[in-house]
Amino acid sequence: MPLPDRFHIAADPEYARAAAERLFAAVQQQLVAVLPKTCELLHIGATSVPGCLTKGDLDIVVRVERKDFQATEAALAARYARNSGSVRTNEFAAFEDDASTPHLGIQLTVKGGAFDVFHRFADALRADPALVRRYNELKLAYDGQPMDRYRGAKDAFVTDALRGGSAEPGGERGE
């Protein structure tokens, strides 16, 4: 059994993707009924990108207008645990459900705010097979490694990709 403090790629990414899609449909249906109408719910993360390796979880971003942030945060906090390993600001909050299968992570962002980038990275991956290949190479390089090392390399990769850089595995820029 994989150690939880280590990054592991799902044995069957397509099965993981299908499970994430099913959970997304169910969560989306539940949340649309209780969140402000201006909210945008998007399936992001590796399970939303064809051909992308994944650890098998579901990541959702809930994008809201600034005026709806507090009400949306309260509604999400009533349903999900806060992700204690994540920052919390007046533009961003993170939630999770460890009991769901697959694991569920929800990022709440203010549209246009500093943390409103999750959907942009997923869109960049969907639009660029070479970027997916490089992201998969990064994941393969960190499979079995400590989660904090993987997250550091992933953060550098995402930042570089959103800047339009080469996003080479390991966070190094190609020249």
Side-chain angles (χ1 to χ4, degrees):
M1 179 154 183
L3 297 172
D5 62 339
R6 299 216 172 238
F7 172 73
H8 292 282
I9 297 169
D12 185 344
E14 291 310 312
Y15 176 82
R17 193 172 334 287
E21 286 290 343
R22 286 189 300 274
L23 181 58
F24 177 70
V27 170
Q28 183 179 37
Q29 185 177 19
Q30 294 166 6
L31 291 181
V32 163
V34 298
L35 297 181
K37 300 296 181 215
T38 60
C39 288
E40 182 179 9
L41 281 82
L42 302 172
H43 178 183
I44 57 163
T47 55
S48 73
V49 180
C52 195
L53 296 176
T54 177
K55 65 181 186 269
D57 57 345
L58 169 62
D59 286 306
I60 296 174
V61 66
V62 178
R63 301 179 68 230
V64 298
E65 299 297 331
R66 187 171 304 282
K67 67 180 175 59
D68 293 325
F69 183 82
Q70 287 183 324
T72 305
E73 183 181 27
L76 291 171
R79 293 179 169 271
Y80 302 102
R82 290 192 182 278
N83 182 336
S84 60
S86 185
V87 300
R88 184 173 166 209
T89 72
N90 62 353
E91 293 186 338
F92 177 81
F95 303 88
E96 63 184 340
D97 185 352
D98 289 330
S100 71
T101 302
H103 176 270
L104 171 64
I106 298 175
Q107 285 66 239
L108 170 62
T109 66
V110 169
K111 291 178 183 178
F115 293 90
D116 190 29
V117 298
F118 299 98
H119 66 291
R120 290 180 40 226
F121 181 60
D123 288 347
L125 287 169
R126 287 186 208 104
D128 186 351
L131 185 62
V132 172
R133 180 183 48 75
R134 291 190 302 272
Y135 193 36
N136 284 345
E137 289 170 2
L138 180 143
K139 289 178 179 228
L140 289 167
Y142 284 89
D143 192 26
Q145 298 294 313
M147 187 62 83
D148 60 340
R149 285 189 193 161
Y150 164 70
R151 285 188 177 131
K154 175 185 170 183
D155 288 349
F157 184 93
V158 171
T159 298
D160 195 53
L162 291 175
R163 282 190 200 135
S166 66
E168 291 297 321
E172 300 166 4
R173 290 189 60 113
E175 298 299 308

